[in-house]
Amino acid sequence: MGFRTRIIEELDLAKTYQSGQVFSWELIEGVYIVPIGSTLYELKQVDGSRVEALLLTNEEEGQDEAFETYFDLKRDYRRIYDEIALSHKELAEAVERARGIRLLKQDEDEMLLTFILSQNNHIGRIKKSMAGLKELYGAKIGSYKGRDFYSLPAYETLLSLIEKDFVNLGAGYRAPYLVAAIKDLPDLHDFLSRGKPPTEALLERLLEVRGVGPKVAACIALFGHGDWDVFPVDTWVKKALQHYYGPEGTKPAFIHSKKREFEPYSSLVQQLMFYHMREKDKDERRTKNQ
DNA sequence: GTCCAGGTGGTCA
DNA sequence: TGACCACATGGA
């Protein structure tokens, strides 16, 4: 089957790209090159909310379904954004700013490695490390305007890597965490092969991986497994909580009760808080430097 | 030079 | 539990 081009509604590429959930896209001369498994797509924003997708690699069985899963195409985001703005008035501005962001369902192993790498790190450096890992040890899946794209390395290859290899990729003190997490992958896969676990059980299992704490576990559950009932709290979401709810906004008990209020969309609320605070910060820096 | 980043592990009270 | 610190790295 497969398609040459298709249109996606309710998707803003730039916002999604900058919402801190995806580290594998490349922005090249105004278009986004998006790898999904071993398939490569070129995505172009045709208007405010519509995107045209073009297949760059060979047609393969099942890739349409993979594409739909990746972009979460069955969910009605317009309605969900409206609902969030309606039931949480304080978030209205953040909702309008973030509208167009979709929550991507990405490869679970890639999310594990990516978010272990993300702790106390910058998005640009996370991207660089992951791109280097793929380029050095993965398989080439395609190219665009002279730029080559690579898959995540095979498990056997990952297993052969040592701490030094990850240090060379800029992983810093997280290198041993990555090595340990890779060793844990077969058992993790075994755990998951018994059927999709409830979010709480998945989080609990992920927390057993060295270098994975509550925040990283929540991100893996969300972006790798599509669990929407999580609420990852990082430095930016902390700033947002303080911004909206004052000093007690960052207390664990308060966060927990807020998360409950945001359900079943707590993950999307978290995402738009993250995006809103970062964009607000960028705006403030821009005006300051004038 | 200093600060900070999609935090976590370890220690101590 | 909660508060504190160290952690490797490089861009702003």
Side-chain angles (χ1 to χ4, degrees):
Chain A
M1 281 286 149
F3 61 86
R4 297 234 170 267
T5 67
R6 83 182 269 178
I7 296 290
I8 313 171
E9 308 282 347
E10 296 300 309
L11 172 62
D12 187 307
L13 290 173
K15 290 182 186 178
T16 302
Y17 180 62
Q18 294 187 58
S19 69
Q21 58 173 312
V22 60
F23 305 83
S24 57
W25 294 12
E26 291 291 340
L27 175 56
I28 301 175
E29 295 175 25
V31 305
Y32 294 84
I33 307 304
V34 175
I36 303 177
S38 55
T39 308
L40 203 59
Y41 296 92
E42 174 190 339
L43 270 66
K44 195 171 14 169
Q45 195 79 45
V46 291
D47 64 35
S49 67
R50 290 164 76 236
V51 166
E52 186 182 68
L54 172 68
L55 179 64
L56 291 179
T57 47
N58 293 331
E59 294 187 6
E60 281 170 42
E61 188 139 356
Q63 66 188 7
D64 283 9
E65 201 185 334
F67 184 90
E68 285 176 17
T69 302
Y70 184 92
F71 283 106
D72 196 19
L73 293 186
K74 292 200 173 122
R75 216 184 297 260
D76 183 355
Y77 276 77
R78 189 197 299 267
R79 184 185 62 75
I80 295 172
Y81 276 113
D82 287 345
E83 205 174 310
I84 294 171
L86 206 63
S87 39
H88 306 284
K89 303 273 192 240
E90 74 276 20
L91 301 179
E93 193 189 337
V95 166
E96 287 324 306
R97 202 202 283 260
R99 210 182 264 276
I101 293 177
R102 279 176 173 271
L103 296 182
L104 307 175
K105 161 73 182 68
Q106 304 172 66
D107 179 83
E108 59 195 55
D109 293 343
E110 183 166 344
M111 292 301 97
L112 178 75
L113 301 180
T114 301
F115 280 99
I116 285 177
L117 202 48
S118 78
Q119 60 166 283
N120 205 33
N121 208 346
H122 292 267
I123 288 175
R125 296 191 63 233
I126 302 163
K127 277 191 68 168
K128 214 167 161 184
S129 295
M130 286 305 291
L133 175 71
K134 292 176 174 182
E135 191 172 339
L136 279 176
Y137 308 109
K140 184 173 164 183
I141 59 173
S143 60
Y144 181 85
K145 297 207 170 170
R147 289 282 297 276
D148 294 330
F149 290 81
Y150 300 84
S151 67
L152 193 71
Y155 169 68
E156 295 75 25
T157 312
L158 288 174
L159 202 55
S160 73
L161 302 181
I162 58 174
E163 283 185 30
K164 188 84 171 77
D165 296 322
F166 288 109
V167 169
N168 289 339
L169 289 167
Y173 72 93
R174 311 165 197 86
Y177 296 164
L178 292 168
V179 172
I182 288 165
K183 282 211 180 91
D184 202 6
L185 276 180
D187 187 68
L188 192 56
H189 288 165
D190 186 52
F191 170 76
L192 291 162
S193 71
R194 297 197 279 270
K196 193 176 183 328
T199 304
E200 276 312 312
L202 174 60
L203 292 176
E204 206 175 305
R205 176 61 185 85
L206 289 170
L207 285 173
E208 290 173 11
V209 182
R210 215 182 140 67
V212 175
K215 190 279 175 183
V216 168
C219 283
I220 297 166
L222 174 56
F223 303 121
H225 299 268
D227 288 338
W228 272 48
D229 49 342
V230 294
F231 193 72
V233 178
D234 75 314
T235 52
W236 291 101
V237 175
K238 226 170 239 173
K239 283 175 197 169
L241 289 166
Q242 222 152 37
H243 171 75
Y244 290 118
Y245 309 113
E248 63 265 42
T250 57
K251 287 183 183 164
F254 183 87
I255 292 176
H256 185 74
S257 74
K258 267 296 163 194
K259 183 210 153 200
R260 283 293 172 76
E261 284 179 36
F262 296 144
E263 281 172 2
Y265 307 122
S266 57
S267 57
L268 186 58
V269 169
Q270 170 274 153
Q271 198 66 21
L272 60 91
M273 278 184 173
F274 175 86
Y275 182 76
H276 178 57
M277 289 313 281
R278 282 189 25 125
E279 291 304 305
K280 214 160 77 75
D281 187 63
K282 281 187 201 167
D283 289 349
E284 284 160 9
R285 280 172 202 278
R286 268 195 287 270
T287 48
K288 211 180 208 177
N289 291 338
Q290 271 174 2

